[in-house]
Amino acid sequence: MILNLTVFLFITAILTLIYDYSNAQDLQELIQEVKEKIIRLEQTGRIKRGYEPYTEPDLLDEEGYDFVIVGAGSSGSALVHRLSEISNWTILLLESGGEPEIYTDIPFWSRLGEYTHLNWGYLAEKEDNIALGLKDQRLPMTRGKGIGGSSLINSMIYTRGTKEDYDRWESLGNPGWGYEDLLPYFEKLENCTIPIRDDSYRGHGGPIYVENAYQTKSGDVFIEAAENAGYNYVDYNGRTNKGVAYMQMNTKKGLRCSGESCYLRPVKHRKNLTIRKNSHVTRILIQNNTAYGVEFVKDGRIYTAFANKEVILSAGAINSPQILLLSGIGPKHQLLKFGIKPISNLQVGQKMYDHITYSVLGYTFNESITFDSSDTLKDESFINLYNKGEGPLRSINTIQNILFRRSSLAPTRVTDIEIIGLGGHIIAGTNNTGEVQVTNEIYENTFKQYSNQFIGSCAVALLHPKSYGRVELRSADPFVHPKIYAGFLTDPEGRDIKILIEGIREANRIMLSPQFGKYGVKPMDSPIYGCQQHQYDSDEYWECAIRHLGHSFYHYIATCKMGPESDPEAVVNNRLKVHGMRRLRIVDTSIIPVTLSAHTNVPAFMVGEKGADLIKEEYL
Ligand SMILES: Cc1cc2nc3c(=O)[nH]c(=O)nc-3n(C[C@H](O)[C@H](O)[C@H](O)COP(=O)(O)OP(=O)(O)OC[C@H]3O[C@@H](n4cnc5c(N)ncnc54)[C@H](O)[C@@H]3O)c2cc1C
Ligand SMILES: *[C@@H]1O[C@H](CO)[C@@H](O)[C@H](O)[C@H]1NC(C)=O
Ligand SMILES: *[C@@H]1O[C@H](CO)[C@@H](O)[C@H](O)[C@H]1NC(C)=O
Ligand SMILES: *[C@@H]1O[C@H](CO)[C@@H](O)[C@H](O)[C@H]1NC(C)=O
Ligand SMILES: *[C@@H]1O[C@H](CO)[C@@H](O)[C@H](O)[C@H]1NC(C)=O
Ligand SMILES: *[C@@H]1O[C@H](CO)[C@@H](O)[C@H](O)[C@H]1NC(C)=O
Ligand SMILES: CC(=O)N[C@H]1CO[C@H](CO)[C@@H](O)[C@@H]1O
């Protein structure tokens, strides 16, 4: 999980502990140090890395393939893995970013990528009454850039979503997307290595490994406390997600299992598959409402790739709509504003759902049962990770537990609150430096005082918001970032904020229980700077805190929403084909029409798997 708004601070916290580094310059030094360590351990034969560079054939000005796929992210990787099983299909995968870095495989350090070229670096537009405690009042809208896409820099939290979610998706006029239809894909894609009581929902033959998160004692206490508070221990990726559990991660023997490492790495040598990196698609080539190729820029030159069968966009929920808009598919008035000739007037980018999260709910402990990051730069930790899949480097931002709950305001049977238990805190104890940050006032006046204490925290996420944002063009230049409006907490009834506050109180109920009391757990109750005028723990206080530090969970969906032709918001149909167009599909999280009780990486893999089958059905 976790916001990039503070992961940087978290990283600097680790640095402060060990090296007393404190500025952005030193982040680059840290990255260098981690890289050098891995290379040295590899050269001396103490670890073995699985990663080999991606090579590609010479590029011609014009090339032709059966399928041209745009974006090597979570969905694109799954799609390409499956389509390239068909030996007589030729496939071109174009990815704007480059290769993974050697540290991205290591869960603990992998989020470093967020502060490098592996992140597109999107920031939401400034909006009223949200992000009040962030620099420039702009929310980071992080997106992975590189082979693997967002799964290269994400937090590897493994969640499928529930029967209610997918049945709702299907009920909106999307046959084939109900739970019964999709469960086989969730099973197919995974290799669940966790012992589970009712295993009948889980898969064991797929490329995506599932393992429990690294635990410290505080993770065990979280389970005890939640059970005592009335939650059942569940396999939250099984029959029901309602309850508490150790967090399941998509790691393979302790290492990141991304679209790159688990879907593409094993098949990248297939002769019928060409993967071109640093290849930025600028528009789809369209004639007579038929997509016949794409134009892309590599090393400053423009190239054309023709598609004999289809063009498929897997550029993610921010970039797929951007590419459609640049190609003339989208709201007519918006296109005309940028001088783009309208081809199909669809509501591209007009609705974007995400999961707003408050993740700085901190607690102090009187004993060291939380995460101790001082081990994470030791050679032994790297060796244990690579050779045995064990140790603290398996940990991602100290994530340990997950809990799903239905709030008192939940519209249907969905679980709409998620609480994540962490054995650390992402701001407290750090120096307030970094490219994205809370304001210095907040750091100095709120979090700094908790330095050098044993700390844990909870993140609370709203899974089924009413509020939504949107994505629009900022410019007709394909290299200019689109405008992103998060739209958090804009629902007129104010229901979203109420549910988040309910979630915060529930997290407090668990963390301040007798089970944690044995470890002297106390809330970090120094008010968030800017919210001192409210009585601590009042509804007004929490609303203020959330409006200051609530952030994106990077679970953008619905910007190229699936729906029947009769749905005015729909961009693709249930076969992932763009309405009114021929030979053009979208296969990524942008097509997801309904909010899910889940983080979106596994759903992204599922969409790739199912998309591949839809395409195979059509041509074979
Ligand atoms: C920081 C972070 C943490 C997250 N943590 C979790 C988590 O713990 N668990 C979870 O389930 N989900 C998590 N998510 C969300 C999850 O990773 C994403 O929802 C998922 O990866 C999206 O998959 P996708 O295929 O839709 O898009 P992406 O994986 O983003 O892939 C899109 C790809 O297209 C490429 N691209 C874009 N534009 C172009 C272009 N013009 N030309 C060529 N290529 C292009 C991009 O570079 C990228 O590689 C997280 C996301 C982020 C950013
Ligand atoms: C924190 O950062 C400031 C600069 O922003 C620097 O002056 C100060 O020395 C740093 N403190 C520590 C403890 O690193
Ligand atoms: C391609 O392969 C599939 C099976 O893998 C087969 O059904 C199809 O006929 C083949 N097409 C051609 C043109 O060879
Ligand atoms: C699934 O994981 C288990 C345990 O690591 C392993 O033995 C098995 O080979 C894996 N299966 C596949 C299909 O990779
Ligand atoms: C456009 O495409 C349709 C459907 O394939 C076809 O019937 C029509 O003849 C095409 N028109 C032109 C001008 O090519
Ligand atoms: C922590 O606090 C609890 C509750 O006050 C107390 O019982 C325990 O002895 C304390 N532990 C330490 C190490 O101080
Ligand atoms: C022409 C060619 O090399 N086809 C390959 C495509 O990929 C499949 C799956 O690996 C191979 O079996 C084919 O040989």
Side-chain angles (χ1 to χ4, degrees), residues 356-411:
I356 179 177
T357 305
Y358 186 76
S359 59
V360 293
L361 206 53
Y363 307 90
T364 58
F365 289 64
N366 68 0
E367 235 183 275
S368 164
I369 66 163
T370 54
F371 193 85
D372 177 3
S373 55
S374 63
D375 282 339
T376 54
L377 271 169
K378 291 186 181 146
D379 283 6
E380 286 317 304
S381 299
F382 287 81
I383 292 165
N384 281 334
L385 178 72
Y386 278 95
N387 297 342
K388 297 190 227 149
E390 288 171 4
L393 288 179
R394 281 191 52 181
S395 180
I396 301 154
N397 302 320
T398 71
I399 292 166
Q400 307 194 59
N401 306 101
I402 190 164
L403 180 151
F404 289 97
R405 175 185 177 81
R406 188 178 310 148
S407 79
S408 61
L409 297 171

Side-chain angles (χ1 to χ4, degrees), residues 191 193 204-206 209 253:
N191 184 0
T193 67
H204 302 280
Y209 275 57
K253 303 194 170 101

Side-chain angles (χ1 to χ4, degrees), residues 299-314:
D299 302 327
R301 277 192 60 192
I302 299 177
Y303 298 89
T304 301
F306 295 109
N308 302 326
K309 289 190 164 67
E310 294 192 11
V311 172
I312 303 167
L313 295 187
S314 297

Side-chain angles (χ1 to χ4, degrees), residues 271-284:
K271 288 205 191 70
N272 42 7
L273 169 62
T274 302
I275 302 174
R276 297 205 181 280
K277 56 197 184 226
N278 304 316
S279 300
H280 185 78
V281 171
T282 52
R283 68 186 177 104
I284 307 162

Side-chain angles (χ1 to χ4, degrees), residues 435-454:
E435 84 180 47
V436 180
Q437 56 188 327
V438 299
T439 62
N440 215 43
E441 288 78 9
I442 289 189
Y443 174 71
E444 292 289 331
N445 294 298
T446 308
F447 293 110
K448 192 178 179 183
Q449 59 193 289
Y450 299 108
S451 306
N452 310 318
Q453 297 198 40
F454 304 121

